[in-house]
């Protein structure tokens, strides 16, 4: 009888509990504005946002959702805004990979909150970076007026959406917009600045000002259909290109239009026949340490993620706190950079902590990243990093210089970069491992992810020391209990802010996923990236 590994059982139980919690949260988000509002929406003869996407995508295509947790736990004073009132993601339509953006009219009539704006811009960014078509399913009342100051006027606000419409059109990226509900005021420009537009008879309407505002502004009394309904905007104004009888006909027409788009040369990332990983997802759940303070075997994790559990490791004996390797994921050739969480011994005999970036590992990773750019191989970063090594020995050895070298290589990379936060992602380690600021094509997180400037315990100790020092400077002498209370309060706040849900609600990561889905999402990400050309790789001044 096989011996039971208690630690493995604990890891698996903890991961499955986390995934169950993730599933419950997603189920609630999928309800949009609530079951009653979904029923009311359907009573108008309309499909819900998610039903429209399910109808539109190919039957055998997965919908890879981006930003399901956007605005999670935010806007509570306004009643909440599940998924920021818009559903976005990637799917195949008539065999062509597309970005889909669908307003959810059951959430505040599809109004744009600040995070709605950020999420729409993220979807457009994906289409622009990867040169793939984008489909807008419009059903929105426009800007959420009580928060207009955070939506309207800044560079990354509402108007940026229409600027992107124009830029994408100039880039030759197809845009198709369907007016399937309200389309009001500034929001009316989005479908009309798209290449082609459709409108659903009876439910779709588009105008710069609705009947109430028209009456208030110029005294004209006009109904919605006469002002901007389907017949008006197709037969009278000619603003919209296609009039459809219902949602189904509208979505079928979009499928036909997508199917007519001509093919373009692919970038040519190497792909062979996919092989399954060496180990199952259950094994992955068991070997990956759910306790963020405990080491684990990062190479065993890779065997659960790459084809056949095989790779070619670069400089294996040097800079061992980062593993760099050429491998395949779902057949795609990739360069992998993953933090090694095992405690290792350097060539000089000193012990190096797992998850910490030392000078030698930063130097190795920088060179590997350059090699992948030279050979046109997409890069995949797996984060479980506590930061760069500190202390006099590291400073004397030039850790800042070597860290800057790695950051520079990441920043200047032109091959597609993908980031998976599997554990800690702290401080400058987040930057060096291609955090959000370094333009990964997609950035996803496991439920075990934690993102912050430093770990919760360390941050709480630093902040407590500052707070206690401030109290003492005022002549106060905090008791031991008061200091413990301060530490506990700061720790709780910091733990909340390092949660993957906190990161996902603000779109610091695109999705929180089951680790077993990692390969599939990376594969479709590389498929998307394969449509965009790769620019020549250059770096600026790098200290050696």
């Amino acid at each position: 009888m096989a011996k039971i590994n208690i630690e493995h059982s604990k890891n698996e139980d903890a991961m499955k509990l986390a995934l169950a919690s993730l599933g419950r949260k997603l189920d609630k988000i999928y309800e949009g504005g609530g079951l009653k509002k979904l029923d009311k929406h359907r009573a108008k003869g309309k499909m819900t946002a998610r039903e429209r996407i399910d109808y539109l995508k190919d039957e055998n295509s997965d919908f890879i959702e981006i930003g399901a947790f956007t605005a999670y736990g935010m806007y509570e004073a306004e009643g909440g805004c599940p998924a920021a009132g818009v559903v976005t993601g990637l799917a195949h339509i008539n065999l062509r990979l597309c970005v889909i953006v669908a307003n959810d009219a059951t959430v505040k009539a599809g109004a744009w909150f600040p995070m709605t704006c950020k999420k729409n811009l993220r979807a457009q960014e994906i289409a622009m970076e990867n040169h793939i078509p984008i489909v807008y399913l419009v059903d929105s009342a426009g800007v959420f007026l009580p928060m207009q100051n955070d939506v309207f006027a800044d560079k990354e606000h509402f108007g940026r959406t229409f600027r992107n419409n124009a830029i994408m059109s100039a880039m030759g990226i197809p845009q198709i917009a369907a007016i399937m509900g309200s389309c009001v005021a500034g929001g009316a420009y989005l479908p009309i600045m798209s290449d082609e537009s459709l409108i659903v008879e009876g439910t779709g309407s588009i105008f710069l000002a609705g009947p109430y505002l028209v009456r208030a502004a110029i005294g004209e009394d006009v109904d919605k259909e006469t002002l901007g309904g389907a017949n008006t905007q197709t037969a009278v104004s000619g603003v919209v290109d296609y009039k459809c009888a219902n949602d189904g006909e509208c979505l079928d027409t979009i499928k036909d239009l997508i199917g007519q788009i001509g093919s373009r040369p692919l970038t040519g990332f190497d792909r062979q026949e996919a092989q399954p990983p060496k180990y199952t997802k259950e094994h992955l759940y068991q070997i990956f340490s759910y306790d963020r303070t405990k080491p684990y075997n990062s190479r065993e994790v890779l065997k659960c993620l790459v084809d056949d559990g095989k790779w070619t490791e670069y400089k294996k004996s040097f800079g061992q706190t980062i593993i760099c390797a050429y491998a395949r994921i779902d057949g795609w050739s990739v360069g992998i950079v993953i933090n090694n969480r095992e405690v290792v011994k350097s060539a000089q005999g000193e012990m190096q902590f797992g998850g910490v970036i030392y000078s030698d590992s930063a130097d190795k990773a920088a060179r590997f990243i350059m090699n992948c750019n030279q050979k046109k191989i997409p890069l995949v970063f797996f984060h479980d990093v506590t930061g760069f090594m500190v202390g006099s020995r590291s400073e004397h050895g030039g850790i800042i210089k070597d860290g800057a070298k790695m950051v520079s290589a990441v920043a200047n990379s032109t091959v597609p970069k993908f980031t998976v936060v599997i554990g800690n992602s702290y401080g400058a380690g987040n930057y060096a491992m291609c955090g959000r600021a370094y333009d990964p094509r997609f950035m996803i997180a496991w439920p075990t992810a934690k993102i912050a400037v430093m770990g919760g315990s360390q941050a709480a100790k630093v902040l407590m020391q500052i707070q206690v020092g401030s109290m003492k400077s005022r002549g106060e002498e905090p008791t031991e209990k008061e200091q413990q209370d301060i530490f506990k309060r700061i720790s709780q706040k910091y733990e909340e802010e390092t949660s993957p849900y906190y990161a996902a609600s603000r779109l610091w990561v695109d999705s929180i996923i089951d680790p077993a889905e990692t390969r599939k999402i990376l594969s479709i990400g590389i498929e998307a990236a394969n449509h965009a050309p790769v620019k020549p790789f250059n770096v600026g001044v790098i200290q050696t």
Side-chain angles (χ1 to χ4, degrees):
M1 184 175 177
K3 185 179 179 181
I4 297 174
N5 187 312
I6 300 299
E7 201 63 38
H8 283 187
S9 296
K10 286 181 179 179
N11 288 337
E12 185 174 12
D13 289 346
M15 182 64 81
K16 287 183 175 178
L17 283 171
L19 292 174
S21 177
L22 172 66
R24 288 192 297 271
K25 289 179 173 70
L26 285 171
D27 287 343
K28 187 66 178 176
I29 288 169
Y30 295 159
E31 292 177 1
L35 297 178
K36 288 183 179 179
K37 288 190 177 180
L38 290 174
D39 289 340
K40 186 177 179 181
H41 186 85
R42 295 186 185 104
K44 298 176 183 177
K46 299 164 72 173
M47 298 179 187
T48 67
R50 293 181 184 280
E51 287 168 349
R52 287 167 176 167
I53 291 172
D54 192 55
Y55 186 99
L56 183 61
K57 72 178 183 65
D58 292 347
E59 187 176 349
N60 60 347
S61 171
D62 291 307
F63 175 60
I64 306 300
E65 185 163 357
I66 301 295
F69 282 99
T70 309
Y72 182 77
M74 302 172 69
Y75 311 128
E76 295 303 313
E78 290 77 22
C81 189
V86 61
V87 185
T88 61
L90 293 93
H92 291 89
I93 303 172
N94 225 329
L95 302 180
R96 185 177 292 272
L97 187 60
C98 300
V99 175
I100 304 174
V101 178
N103 297 116
D104 186 350
T106 70
V107 179
K108 304 293 184 186
W112 286 50
F113 283 68
M115 288 306 301
T116 315
C117 190
K118 186 172 183 178
K119 186 172 177 179
N120 275 270
L121 293 176
R122 175 69 184 127
Q124 289 183 319
E125 180 182 49
I126 291 169
M128 285 191 284
E129 284 183 331
N130 298 290
H131 288 214
I132 56 177
I134 183 167
V135 176
Y136 309 97
L137 306 180
V138 184
D139 196 345
S140 170
V143 170
F144 184 65
L145 292 177
M147 303 186 79
Q148 65 84 27
N149 61 313
D150 291 323
V151 180
F152 175 67
D154 207 351
K155 181 179 178 180
E156 300 295 334
H157 282 180
F158 195 50
R160 189 77 170 183
T161 309
F162 317 131
R163 174 265 189 192
N164 287 350
N165 286 141
I167 296 296
M168 278 191 280
S169 185
M171 292 172 67
I173 297 170
Q175 300 175 83
I176 297 174
I179 302 155
M180 309 184 78
S182 296
C183 190
V184 186
Y189 285 104
L190 184 146
I192 308 310
M193 292 189 72
S194 298
D195 300 322
E196 293 183 281
S197 59
L198 308 86
I199 188 167
V200 178
E201 195 170 8
T203 55
S205 59
I206 178 170
F207 30 63
L208 291 181
Y212 295 115
L213 183 53
V214 168
R215 188 179 303 121
I218 63 173
E220 181 184 2
D221 194 2
V222 61
D223 65 80
K224 186 170 74 170
E225 282 299 311
T226 303
L227 184 64
N231 190 62
T232 294
Q233 299 292 24
T234 54
V236 179
S237 71
V239 165
V240 179
D241 304 314
Y242 305 93
K243 181 173 71 172
C244 305
N246 51 50
D247 279 13
E249 183 182 318
C250 180
L251 297 170
D252 285 335
T253 306
I254 293 173
K255 291 180 186 182
D256 290 340
L257 293 172
I258 293 291
Q260 302 283 348
I261 297 173
S263 61
R264 298 181 183 182
L266 297 176
T267 300
F269 298 127
D270 186 66
R271 192 179 196 186
Q272 297 180 0
E273 185 178 348
Q275 301 292 330
K278 183 174 182 178
Y279 295 134
T280 64
K281 66 178 183 180
E282 286 75 22
H283 186 66
L284 175 58
Y285 298 162
Q286 291 168 5
I287 62 172
F288 183 79
S289 179
Y290 199 85
D291 183 343
R292 297 290 74 246
T293 65
K294 291 185 177 180
Y296 58 86
N297 190 325
S298 299
R299 290 181 177 85
E300 284 294 296
V301 170
L302 278 185
K303 290 177 183 178
C304 303
L305 297 173
V306 304
D307 288 18
D308 202 27
K310 293 179 179 178
W311 61 84
T312 302
E313 190 162 341
Y314 177 77
K315 291 184 184 289
K316 182 176 181 179
S317 302
F318 181 75
Q320 295 182 64
T321 62
I322 287 182
I323 298 167
C324 299
Y326 299 106
R328 291 190 181 273
I329 292 178
D330 198 35
W332 294 104
S333 171
V334 295
I336 290 174
V337 181
I338 181 172
N339 302 111
N340 186 4
R341 281 301 308 273
E342 293 185 293
V343 177
V344 298
K345 186 180 290 187
S346 72
Q348 290 73 35
E350 69 171 324
M351 301 307 294
Q352 295 186 336
F353 300 103
V356 178
I357 302 176
Y358 290 77
S359 283
D360 53 358
S361 50
D363 184 79
K364 176 177 80 171
R367 178 62 183 267
F368 179 74
I369 290 163
M370 293 178 191
N371 283 346
C372 288
N373 276 272
Q374 183 84 346
K375 296 191 281 188
K376 206 164 73 171
I377 299 174
L379 283 157
V380 182
F381 296 82
F382 291 96
H383 287 217
D384 198 346
V385 57
T386 52
F388 285 87
M389 190 58 190
V390 298
S392 60
R393 182 191 291 267
S394 292
E395 296 295 352
H396 296 170
I399 186 67
I400 297 174
K401 174 193 67 179
D402 292 316
K405 189 187 303 181
M406 183 176 175
V407 168
S408 181
V410 172
N412 285 292
S413 286
T414 56
V415 293
K417 298 169 288 191
F418 303 88
T419 300
V420 188
V421 185
I422 65 177
N424 303 320
S425 185
Y426 293 152
N430 172 278
Y431 301 160
M433 293 292 293
C434 196
R436 179 60 101 194
Y438 291 80
D439 299 320
R441 295 293 176 94
F442 296 97
M443 185 166 177
I444 55 180
W446 292 0
T448 44
K450 288 185 176 294
I451 302 174
V453 72
M454 65 177 72
S457 178
Q458 299 96 310
K461 288 176 183 176
V462 171
L463 292 170
M464 184 194 74
Q465 289 169 6
I466 293 170
Q467 198 165 330
V468 168
S470 178
M471 292 171 70
K472 288 181 177 179
S473 69
R474 297 194 301 268
E476 302 173 25
E477 193 63 43
T479 65
E480 184 68 27
K481 184 180 184 307
E482 286 174 329
Q483 292 186 47
Q484 289 177 357
D485 288 343
I486 292 170
F487 179 80
K488 184 178 179 181
R489 186 171 64 251
I490 295 171
S491 293
Q492 287 175 341
K493 181 177 184 295
Y494 219 85
E495 281 303 308
E496 177 188 336
E497 292 178 358
T498 60
S499 157
Y501 296 104
Y502 190 92
S505 71
R506 288 151 181 81
L507 268 179
W508 299 348
V509 297
D510 293 311
S511 308
I512 304 173
I513 66 161
D514 181 340
E517 298 287 289
T518 305
R519 282 168 52 85
K520 179 175 73 176
I521 293 172
L522 289 174
S523 178
I524 203 165
I526 300 171
E527 179 188 345
N530 202 28
H531 291 82
V534 174
K535 296 177 183 177
F537 174 66
N538 293 295
V539 293
V541 175
I542 294 181
Q543 293 192 33
T544 58

